[in-house]
Amino acid sequence: LTGTADHEETFDIAAEHGHQEFSMIELGSAFLTRALGHAPDSLVRAFVDTYLAEWNKGVHYPSGVRELLQRLARGFTLAVVTNTHDRSLVHTHLERMEVFDLFELVVTSVEHGKRKPAPEIFRHTLQALGASSAACVYVGDSYEADYRGARATGMPALLIDPLSQAPIPGNARLGSIFELEARLQSIGAFHL
């Protein structure tokens, strides 16, 4: 599958300019068309399913995340805003972690059409939640897509940046997701 990475990079570069998201089906179709000269729908779906199954083998859920999210859900409305090329990927992982029901809303870039850091995906989420940007705290692990994207729409943001590589204020940095609860308590945003 050497060419798959090349195709994905080409799609990613094109998507960066307008923040338009692409699907795994589009990527798989382009790859198979180039490799075989044609790409029947059934073959594309089988190829994508196999690719995602292999990719998922490397996914592990940190112990304690479910309990953390359960505690947070008692004091906050939780939502997911994520860049993904396959809607079911995110939903399936949330269900496997037994946390899907803790989220009021799950917004995926492939369904929305725009990927983070595009302000449209953040605004869509805020509108769907009936929330103002100032009333939310966005937590992510990508400086450009998450931190800068959320900040550009007026949301306070925290960045999981254990190696302190991003140029952000120290009080916006988390060493891990497990620091979130204490950080929210320290800024008065969470009461147990």
Side-chain angles (χ1 to χ4, degrees):
L1 304 188
T2 306
T4 307
D6 295 338
H7 270 60
E8 186 170 4
E9 184 177 344
T10 301
F11 272 70
D12 277 332
I13 290 168
E16 287 301 316
H17 295 290
H19 303 295
Q20 291 297 122
E21 190 59 274
F22 60 91
S23 72
M24 285 299 296
I25 295 295
E26 292 170 306
L27 179 62
S29 180
F31 173 76
L32 290 172
T33 298
R34 182 173 176 206
L36 304 175
H38 68 290
D41 291 345
S42 60
L43 181 61
V44 172
R45 183 76 256 171
F47 176 76
V48 167
D49 289 347
T50 302
Y51 180 89
L52 291 174
E54 287 299 314
W55 184 87
N56 279 321
K57 288 180 181 178
V59 175
H60 302 282
Y61 310 128
S63 178
V65 169
R66 182 173 180 260
E67 293 78 11
L68 170 66
L69 291 170
Q70 288 172 326
R71 289 191 303 273
L72 290 172
R74 289 194 290 261
F76 292 102
T77 299
L78 302 180
V80 173
V81 180
T82 185
N83 287 351
T84 184
H85 307 301
D86 187 85
R87 174 196 179 273
S88 65
L89 185 69
V90 173
H91 290 259
T92 299
H93 282 292
L94 292 174
E95 288 168 2
R96 285 182 186 160
M97 292 174 67
E98 299 178 3
V99 298
F100 187 85
D101 62 323
L102 299 176
F103 293 95
E104 180 74 22
L105 183 65
V106 176
V107 177
T108 66
S109 58
V110 73
E111 291 173 292
H112 180 268
K114 292 284 189 175
R115 61 172 23 189
K116 301 177 293 181
E120 294 91 341
I121 194 168
F122 292 101
R123 288 189 197 119
H124 166 81
T125 304
L126 290 168
Q127 183 177 14
L129 291 171
S132 71
S133 57
C136 298
V137 176
Y138 189 87
V139 180
D141 63 359
S142 165
Y143 173 68
E144 189 66 35
D146 293 319
Y147 185 81
R148 291 195 62 197
R151 296 294 300 138
T153 57
M155 268 190 280
L158 299 172
L159 183 69
I160 301 168
D161 181 28
L163 301 178
S164 299
Q165 295 179 326
I168 60 173
N171 64 352
R173 181 175 286 112
L174 298 172
S176 83
I177 191 65
F178 296 105
E179 294 178 8
L180 178 59
E181 201 169 12
R183 182 65 53 82
L184 293 174
Q185 288 174 340
S186 74
I187 61 175
F190 185 64
H191 305 287
L192 289 173

